[in-house]
Amino acid sequence: MIERHIIIDRVDPVTFYGVNNSNISLIRNLFPKLRMAARGSVITVIGDEDETALFEKNIKELELYCEKYNKLTEEVIIDTIKGLPPKELKMDDVIIYGVNGKPISGRTPNQQLLVKTFGNNDLTFALGPAGTGKTYLAVALAVRALKNREARKIILSRPAVEAGEKLGFLPGDMKDKIDPYLQPLYDALEDMIPAPKLKEYMDTNVIQIAPLAFMRGRTLNDAIIVLDEAQNTTTHQIKMFLTRLGMGSKMIVTGDTTQIDLPRTVQSGLIHALRVLGNVKGIGKVEFEKKDIVRHHLVQRIVEAYEKHDALRKAGLLDDEGNPAEVNGDQQAES
């Protein structure tokens, strides 16, 4: 009789063990000659040497499956322990399987183009209106690279630009003031990585989320780096950020040039960078359109309505509030 200790460190133990430890109960029934106990991330098993060795092999196979698909079913457990290959889920165009096995993939041609462009370039610009999946796909590509051991860490950043509210009037310390600006990045990660595993990654700095200002002076090696809302960077900020790219790293920069929250006198760093870097080899660009919007169907109509309003305003037919523009007497006389 020997005792083995098997560490489950690639997946969330809660997902692996199942609801109310249902997966562990099934595994225990399939190995009736062994005694086992699961506590935290460690499974302890006692029994014959050959039997415990087979048990460990099966557990590691199940762990790899669970890591890939973010779920573990009764059918997969039974097939694996019987020595049968578990049923592979459809992987066509799937970037990763999120929490509860939800497949995350490029749903439109331009989203699929972003996946391809990211694979072929070390720096990729993803541009387009709200709701086209720029940020979500960028985070998914970063998580896939981390899972596949193609990168050691993920760096996610945003400029903390005040869009109608002043940072100083928000409650709390600096982290409390900054976190609301970074919440969309947290939301995307929570869709893709189980909460306990995500907390572990955050605590160990495998995944880092920080305002753009905190990037200065760093060299980011072996990382996937995402800059979101880049239209709100200044020319100096985006140059600083782009030059953080280190060896073995890739970068995705997302932005919407129609939603710039900078003061009117300040040039958007994203627009400037696109002009300066237009012909640089190794840089890819994907431009999303209204047809790529994958949120609620009203979002596409809202974007179209605002575009129509902006066009009428630029033509002088509407004022900033959307009212018909008045033509004064002098202008009428001149006409």
Side-chain angles (χ1 to χ4, degrees):
M1 302 284 284
I2 69 165
E3 179 176 311
R4 292 180 186 267
H5 301 280
I6 305 161
I7 299 174
I8 305 298
D9 58 356
R10 299 171 73 108
V11 297
D12 172 24
V14 175
T15 304
F16 188 86
Y17 296 159
V19 178
N20 296 323
N21 287 333
S22 58
N23 291 342
I24 286 294
S25 296
L26 175 59
I27 294 170
R28 182 179 284 113
N29 291 334
L30 292 170
F31 283 94
K33 297 179 181 179
L34 300 179
R35 286 187 293 155
M36 70 182 71
R39 290 185 179 85
S41 60
V42 179
I43 300 176
T44 301
V45 60
I46 301 173
D48 176 76
E49 182 172 358
D50 291 341
E51 188 86 359
T52 56
L54 176 61
F55 177 86
E56 182 173 11
K57 176 177 177 290
N58 289 158
I59 291 296
K60 286 303 178 182
E61 289 172 351
L62 291 171
E63 184 183 14
L64 288 174
Y65 185 96
C66 188
E67 181 185 32
K68 184 175 183 180
Y69 296 114
N70 252 327
K71 67 176 182 179
L72 195 58
T73 64
E74 180 179 312
E75 180 184 8
V76 170
I77 293 171
I78 293 172
D79 285 347
T80 299
I81 292 176
K82 283 183 175 180
L84 302 173
K87 182 181 179 182
E88 293 285 327
L89 300 181
K90 185 179 179 182
M91 288 295 290
D92 293 349
D93 299 326
V94 174
I95 301 171
I96 58 168
Y97 285 88
V99 174
N100 298 321
K102 171 188 173 185
I104 298 171
S105 60
R107 293 166 56 182
T108 70
N110 278 332
Q111 289 185 351
Q112 293 166 8
L113 178 60
L114 175 59
V115 177
K116 182 178 179 181
T117 303
F118 172 77
N120 294 334
N121 297 277
D122 287 339
L123 171 59
T124 301
F125 287 94
L127 315 169
T132 51
K134 306 181 300 295
T135 302
Y136 198 77
L137 284 180
V139 174
L141 289 166
V143 172
R144 182 181 70 178
L146 185 64
K147 282 191 168 189
N148 292 344
R149 307 297 194 266
E150 296 166 2
R152 291 191 298 107
K153 57 191 172 185
I154 296 173
I155 314 291
L156 306 176
S157 186
R158 266 186 161 206
V161 172
E162 300 165 349
E165 295 185 59
K166 297 295 184 182
L167 276 172
F169 289 100
L170 295 174
D173 59 18
M174 180 57 71
K175 184 179 186 302
D176 295 328
K177 294 173 188 290
I178 292 297
D179 269 357
Y181 289 91
L182 306 174
Q183 191 59 48
L185 302 175
Y186 288 108
D187 291 342
L189 286 170
E190 287 166 0
D191 261 10
M192 302 172 197
I193 302 174
K197 194 66 179 177
L198 178 57
K199 183 178 186 304
E200 178 190 326
Y201 282 149
M202 302 281 285
D203 290 345
T204 56
N205 286 328
V206 172
I207 296 179
Q208 302 171 31
I209 303 179
L212 177 61
F214 292 7
M215 293 296 106
R216 185 173 297 279
R218 301 184 66 184
T219 300
L220 306 174
N221 296 317
D222 300 316
I224 304 298
I225 310 150
V226 178
L227 174 60
D228 193 33
E229 297 288 339
Q231 75 275 6
N232 288 327
T233 61
T234 65
T235 55
H236 293 296
Q237 285 176 330
I238 199 165
K239 179 183 177 183
M240 177 274 292
F241 185 85
L242 294 177
T243 53
R244 300 307 93 198
L245 189 65
M247 300 299 294
S249 293
K250 285 194 168 195
M251 186 177 284
I252 307 178
V253 176
T254 74
D256 177 2
T257 55
T258 68
Q259 295 195 59
I260 298 173
D261 297 317
L262 296 169
R264 292 189 177 184
T265 56
V266 178
Q267 182 181 14
S268 167
L270 176 60
I271 293 175
H272 182 262
L274 291 170
R275 293 196 194 108
V276 172
L277 304 175
N279 296 319
V280 176
K281 186 178 179 181
I283 297 178
K285 182 175 74 171
V286 178
E287 297 191 49
F288 292 88
E289 303 171 3
K290 294 191 295 291
K291 65 184 180 182
D292 295 304
I293 293 175
V294 292
R295 289 181 185 166
H296 192 285
H297 62 272
L298 274 178
V299 174
Q300 185 169 344
R301 299 179 196 170
I302 290 168
V303 171
E304 290 172 347
Y306 272 94
E307 287 181 349
K308 181 179 178 181
H309 173 273
D310 290 342
L312 292 173
R313 185 173 56 80
K314 288 177 181 177
L317 300 177
L318 293 177
D319 60 22
D320 289 341
E321 296 179 355
N323 301 313
E326 295 183 2
V327 181
N328 60 42
D330 293 340
Q331 288 176 318
Q332 287 180 337
E334 289 174 4
S335 59

